[in-house]
Amino acid sequence: MTPLPIPLPDPLPLPMHPGALKALLLVTFTLHLMAVNLGVGGSLIAAVHALRGKPKDRELVRRLAPLLPGAVTFAITLGVAPLLFVQLTYGPFFYTASVLTAVPWLALIFLLMAGYVLLYRFVGSAGSETLHAASGIGAALLLLSVGLMLVNVTTLSLRPDLWAAQAAASPHGLRMNTLDPTLWPRYLHLGVGIVAVAGLLLAGWGAWRSHTYARQAGLRWFIATTASQAAWGTWLLVKQPAPVLDLLLDGRSAASLSLWISTALGALALLMAIPASQDGSRPQAVWAPFGLGLASTLGMILLRDQARDAALAAFGFHPGALPYKTDWLSLGVFGLTFLGLAVLLIVVLRWVMPPAASAKEEAP
Ligand code: HEM
């Protein structure tokens, strides 16, 4: 059998223990995804409410809109750190996949810029009588297509067995990773998840700011999108390559436990969100589905990482075995930069969210 064309890892040792790099990858990816949930999922929700056009929808959009460009900015900035950690640990896979699907990969930048322009147009119109709902929908779809480009590279990076066929089918890197049956279910699962978490964040904001409509609308977004995960999640699971599927279904491994525990947490969040979204429900009823939904998301992030390592182990790659030599200077500079970003995030959040005392009355 011809050996698979997997490049050798970088001969330089990693700048710190692979476990520490993995932890940093997981933390920074979680932050990236939370900002994506807020900015991209929030844009879609705001645009749909703008399209509905009722006075209470317009009022909601006016309250939400100022948060969106900042959240997308954080999504981009917080995407850089996981990009660096992925390249360090999974470089031979990530680089090969991005070269093989170069045109969709580079298109990401233009889709992002176009989405950003439309988002500003939408947000700029939020205070005026003529709300540009179409710009909002366009912005959300463009930003969600950035997610598709990332799923495209991520899925291809896990399938070295498809690389030769991908290169033969499109030597100039024009094609998406459509040979891989996980591309679309993975994208739908993640894209719908982004909107679900945005709904949860909206519901939490509504409960915190005593805004009944935001609370109920957020929970309804969460319920509808999470219920549909029964289809997308199952489709994604059954399309996994055999070694990953066996691991996920064995009922004993950490990956299998992550799958079943996070699915159970998500289902429980869904069941608790239904009564909490009804007229006359108490604002505090939001917090149980809110906490369970976020815990389920964290579990899925762990699961995603365990499934990646299982997929690559089938090709003989074990990130934990990579050589390393701790570079304390780079670690210190990274720590300080990260701290600076955290302070900036707090300042921005305080700036866009004035103290809750001004909103004592429950809005209709
Ligand atoms: C604002 C639009 C964006 C959206 C909707 C988005 C969404 C996503 C999604 C859904 C994933 C998971 C992909 C998968 O598991 O298959 C992901 C991963 C990732 N994103 Fe973003 N993203 C956005 C922007 C960015 C930008 C601008 C960067 C880089 C600066 C970035 C860096 C990353 C990285 C490195 C990963 C992979 C992390 C890993 O494999 O652990 N993202 N993103």
Side-chain angles (χ1 to χ4, degrees):
M1 209 176 83
T2 331
L4 291 173
I6 303 175
L8 290 174
D10 198 316
L12 290 175
L14 292 175
M16 61 184 97
H17 190 282
L21 284 175
K22 172 61 71 78
L24 287 169
L25 170 60
L26 288 175
V27 169
T28 54
F29 176 66
T30 304
L31 294 174
H32 167 62
L33 202 60
M34 288 314 286
V36 167
N37 292 330
L38 184 61
V40 179
S43 297
L44 185 74
I45 290 180
V48 171
H49 282 278
L51 209 58
R52 281 169 57 112
K54 294 191 182 144
K56 60 183 178 181
D57 292 300
R58 298 174 72 92
E59 192 269 337
L60 181 62
V61 174
R62 260 192 289 279
R63 301 281 295 271
L64 279 185
L67 279 174
L68 301 174
V72 175
T73 307
F74 268 99
I76 298 166
T77 318
L78 289 166
V80 177
L83 189 61
L84 299 178
F85 293 125
V86 162
Q87 288 171 6
L88 272 176
T89 308
Y90 300 97
F93 301 89
F94 185 84
Y95 285 126
T96 312
S98 52
V99 170
L100 287 174
T101 180
V103 173
W105 174 238
L106 291 176
L108 180 157
I109 298 167
F110 300 98
L111 293 167
L112 187 60
M113 287 195 295
Y116 219 18
V117 169
L118 284 186
L119 183 62
Y120 267 104
R121 193 175 144 82
F122 172 61
V123 171
S125 73
S128 71
E129 275 308 299
T130 47
L131 195 57
H132 289 293
S135 304
I137 297 280
L141 294 180
L142 283 164
L143 293 174
L144 281 170
S145 66
V146 172
L148 176 60
M149 300 310 139
L150 285 151
V151 174
N152 185 48
V153 167
T154 307
T155 48
L156 188 58
S157 71
L158 303 181
R159 293 295 304 270
D161 54 324
L162 296 180
W163 291 351
Q166 175 79 16
S170 180
H172 300 296
L174 290 166
R175 247 179 93 130
M176 302 273 293
N177 177 30
T178 45
L179 298 172
D180 182 343
T182 66
L183 174 73
W184 294 110
R186 184 169 179 143
Y187 177 60
L188 285 166
H189 181 59
L190 283 162
V192 168
I194 286 171
V195 183
V197 177
L200 265 191
L201 296 175
L202 176 61
W205 178 81
W208 176 50
R209 304 310 297 255
S210 305
H211 194 300
T212 308
Y213 186 57
R215 177 164 57 83
Q216 289 184 324
L219 284 175
R220 285 173 191 158
W221 275 100
F222 173 72
I223 293 165
T225 45
T226 305
S228 78
Q229 293 289 22
W232 320 130
T234 313
W235 186 14
L236 177 58
L237 181 64
V238 298
K239 291 295 175 189
Q240 291 302 315
V244 180
L245 185 61
D246 291 348
L247 184 77
L248 295 180
L249 295 183
D250 74 6
R252 285 173 284 113
S253 61
S256 187
L257 293 177
S258 300
L259 169 67
W260 297 120
I261 293 173
S262 40
T263 305
L265 289 172
L268 201 56
L270 173 63
L271 291 178
M272 298 189 79
I274 294 170
S277 69
Q278 305 299 312
D279 288 339
S281 59
R282 290 175 316 120
Q284 293 83 338
V286 162
W287 299 118
F290 184 88
L292 289 165
L294 289 188
S296 167
T297 310
L298 293 182
M300 291 281 170
I301 289 173
L302 276 184
L303 165 64
R304 173 181 173 278
D305 185 67
Q306 290 158 336
R308 161 165 49 201
D309 284 353
L312 296 181
F315 300 102
F317 179 78
H318 303 278
L322 292 170
Y324 72 96
K325 185 170 179 293
T326 306
D327 176 351
W328 292 105
L329 181 66
S330 305
L331 191 59
V333 172
F334 174 78
L336 282 177
T337 315
F338 202 59
L339 204 66
L341 198 64
V343 171
L344 194 66
L345 181 63
I346 294 168
V347 172
V348 170
L349 284 178
R350 289 188 74 104
W351 177 62
V352 291
M353 291 184 183
S358 60
K360 279 208 185 79
E361 292 300 312
E362 176 102 333

